[in-house]
Amino acid sequence: DAEGGELEIGAEGMALEIIGQEGACLRGTIVLGRGGGSIEGVRVESTAGPAMWLAAGKWSVNRCVLLAQRSYSTALLCAGAGVIELAACRIGGGGPTEATTWGSGVARHAVGAQGRCKATLRQCQLQHCGTSAVALQHHAALALHTCTLSQATAAMQYRVNGKEDRATLTLHDSNIDCTRVWDGDDRPFAVEDRRNTIVFFTSSAQGALVDDFSLCTYT
């Protein structure tokens, strides 16, 4: 195990390749900076802030576990003008089976996208979130393909900061199994949904949300 606060990686003009060792865990925050590269098989558990913070650069993250174990933290925070693609990752809180003495096992959000970042997730699990699995702001572009959003109070949240905001959300071939789909009444500038399945806990929630996801399969 590695203990620490923030570990910043990345340099202009350099492409880094990081491969995690089986059984190893970094406790703290990985900050992805300028340049870019790939990260594979890394487990990060945050003690306070995000487990991974995209500040700049272009990054690829595969088969990683990113956990924020406190109710005020976001597991993956994407900001600035960074670009990130994630595949086959588990993101959010660890849940009751992975709660620790310094954390509840529940994150605030699994993924937070803000600024002008672009984030694409494929075959990822977003789970154990007290507020919502994903949260968008500003001009962020977030795309989820074949993902699962579960065990969260809401699947998605969007917060308006100004009338010029142009955040976009793409949701394809994904499963939502949360208490409700949206946290609040605000919606992104554009939402594209195709072939998604949403499980509702109450019939009243379904009626209020059909207009937002007209192409989804409701169960």
Side-chain angles (χ1 to χ4, degrees), residues 63-128:
R63 298 189 305 103
C64 290
V65 177
L66 308 176
L67 303 180
Q69 299 281 41
R70 294 186 185 271
S71 60
Y72 55 78
S73 298
T74 297
L76 171 64
L77 178 61
C78 305
V83 177
I84 190 169
E85 294 188 0
L86 300 99
C89 294
R90 180 159 65 93
I91 310 169
T97 60
E98 296 184 76
T100 66
T101 55
W102 45 263
S104 64
V106 177
R108 184 180 185 188
H109 308 293
V111 179
Q114 54 188 245
R116 295 183 179 275
C117 72
K118 294 182 179 180
T120 302
L121 286 73
R122 302 181 189 277
Q123 297 181 323
C124 292
Q125 299 178 43
L126 283 60
Q127 57 191 17
H128 299 298

Side-chain angles (χ1 to χ4, degrees), residues 109 131-136 149-150 152-159 169 171 174-188 191 193 196-202 204-214 216-219:
H109 308 293
T131 301
S132 64
V134 301
L136 285 88
L149 290 67
S150 65
T153 304
M156 289 161 286
Q157 178 195 80
Y158 174 67
R159 287 291 180 261
L169 172 66
L171 188 69
S174 296
N175 295 315
I176 295 176
D177 189 355
C178 301
T179 307
R180 58 182 183 271
V181 175
W182 290 98
D183 174 52
D185 297 325
D186 295 331
R187 299 292 181 268
V191 177
D193 64 288
N196 302 298
T197 298
I198 299 178
V199 176
F200 287 102
F201 282 79
T202 64
S204 60
Q206 177 175 345
L209 294 159
V210 167
D211 289 342
D212 291 313
F213 285 87
S214 57
C216 293
T217 300
Y218 298 91
T219 60

Side-chain angles (χ1 to χ4, degrees), residues 5-118:
E6 292 185 356
L7 173 63
E8 185 171 356
I9 60 175
E12 195 72 52
M14 294 182 62
L16 300 179
E17 182 179 2
I18 299 173
I19 300 177
Q21 182 178 4
E22 186 175 354
C25 178
L26 172 68
R27 301 192 190 281
T29 301
I30 293 181
V31 181
L32 305 179
R34 294 181 178 181
S38 63
I39 302 174
E40 184 171 348
V42 172
R43 181 186 179 96
V44 187
E45 296 185 10
S46 71
T47 57
M52 184 171 287
W53 176 11
L54 172 70
K58 186 175 182 179
W59 296 88
S60 173
V61 179
N62 301 303
R63 298 189 305 103
C64 290
V65 177
L66 308 176
L67 303 180
Q69 299 281 41
R70 294 186 185 271
S71 60
Y72 55 78
S73 298
T74 297
L76 171 64
L77 178 61
C78 305
V83 177
I84 190 169
E85 294 188 0
L86 300 99
C89 294
R90 180 159 65 93
I91 310 169
T97 60
E98 296 184 76
T100 66
T101 55
W102 45 263
S104 64
V106 177
R108 184 180 185 188
H109 308 293
V111 179
Q114 54 188 245
R116 295 183 179 275
C117 72
K118 294 182 179 180

